[in-house]
Amino acid sequence: VDPKDLERENVGLNAYFGFWEGAAQRNNPFPHETRFTSWLKEKHSEGEEPLVRLAQAVDPLFKKYAEPQWRAQMELARRIPKYVIPGTSSTTFTINRTYTREDGVIMDVQTSPHTDKGDYKGGLGVMLCQFRGADVTGFHLCVPRYRVAFRFRSTDLLLCNVHELHGNTNFVASGPFERLSCIFYLRPKIVVQTTGATGECEVPLE
């Protein structure tokens, strides 16, 4: 698949909730809250509480259906309690939004084939999504190596090795709609920056 054939014309929105590792070139060399997290606390009365509750509801299902990966990730999470979403094994989750603007133009998050970077390779991508509005056909999550596509819809939970090439198929909507997806994970560089951990705890530096 040529990624150029699957690029979307109008890019939608994404945001990161939780924590991110430091980057010296951005004058913030230490782990810190994401901008979106800080903005939520400042601008909304409920703050981060609803998203924390969401993460806490998802994490037990991660443990139930993929306990070895959950335990490996939780071992790292316990080393950095300050930078973990409370009561979970995750430091961060990504929120993607695809939606129809008032003028009818669909704003779509980039979904060409890709592999995720920066998350713990010993864990899994823990994903859920929600559709609102008109019916949408297509928008399946594909993992080409295994020749499989998931019909990923509201209330579904998908545990996936996001270091495999994956992407979403094209879609057709019968009218205005919105799709939100969330991907929960742990960023191992936070462990390295906070504890000075090395390969002995199998924390990839990539």
Side-chain angles (χ1 to χ4, degrees), residues 7 28 30 34 92 109 116 120 137 148 151 162 165 189 195:
E7 289 179 356
N28 196 350
F30 304 105
T34 67
T92 317
V109 169
D116 290 6
Y120 175 48
T137 57
V148 64
R151 186 178 180 276
V162 291
L165 189 71
K189 283 188 177 180
T195 68

Side-chain angles (χ1 to χ4, degrees), residues 140-145 148-150 160 164-169:
H140 302 324
L141 179 65
C142 295
V143 186
R145 177 181 177 185
V148 64
F150 299 96
C160 184
E164 293 284 354
L165 189 71
H166 61 283
N168 291 319
T169 63

Side-chain angles (χ1 to χ4, degrees), residues 86-150:
T88 78
S89 62
S90 298
T91 59
T92 317
F93 65 87
T94 301
I95 305 169
N96 298 318
R97 182 185 182 216
T98 298
Y99 64 102
T100 307
R101 291 192 323 203
E102 291 184 1
D103 60 4
V105 173
I106 293 177
M107 305 299 292
D108 181 24
V109 169
Q110 181 63 45
T111 53
S112 61
H114 66 283
T115 57
D116 290 6
K117 294 178 173 61
D119 55 319
Y120 175 48
K121 292 184 177 180
L124 290 172
V126 181
M127 297 179 273
L128 54 82
C129 74
Q130 180 181 32
F131 282 86
R132 293 187 284 200
D135 292 333
V136 177
T137 57
F139 225 133
H140 302 324
L141 179 65
C142 295
V143 186
R145 177 181 177 185
Y146 299 109
R147 301 185 65 81
V148 64
F150 299 96

Side-chain angles (χ1 to χ4, degrees), residues 15-17 19-21 34 59 62 73 83-85 88-95 116-120 123-127 162-163 182-188 190:
Y16 304 97
F17 177 79
F19 299 92
W20 208 263
E21 66 268 13
T34 67
D59 203 65
F62 180 16
Q73 186 166 307
Y83 299 107
V84 172
I85 299 171
T88 78
S89 62
S90 298
T91 59
T92 317
F93 65 87
T94 301
I95 305 169
D116 290 6
K117 294 178 173 61
D119 55 319
Y120 175 48
L124 290 172
V126 181
M127 297 179 273
V162 291
H163 301 106
C182 298
I183 306 94
F184 302 80
Y185 50 94
L186 180 141
R187 298 194 67 82
I190 295 178

Side-chain angles (χ1 to χ4, degrees), residues 21-51:
E21 66 268 13
Q25 65 269 30
R26 297 181 182 176
N27 298 317
N28 196 350
F30 304 105
H32 55 275
E33 284 186 338
T34 67
R35 291 181 182 178
F36 178 64
T37 307
S38 300
W39 176 82
L40 271 179
K41 290 181 175 180
E42 179 182 346
K43 299 295 184 180
H44 289 269
S45 58
E46 288 185 293
E48 61 181 348
E49 182 182 352
L51 295 185

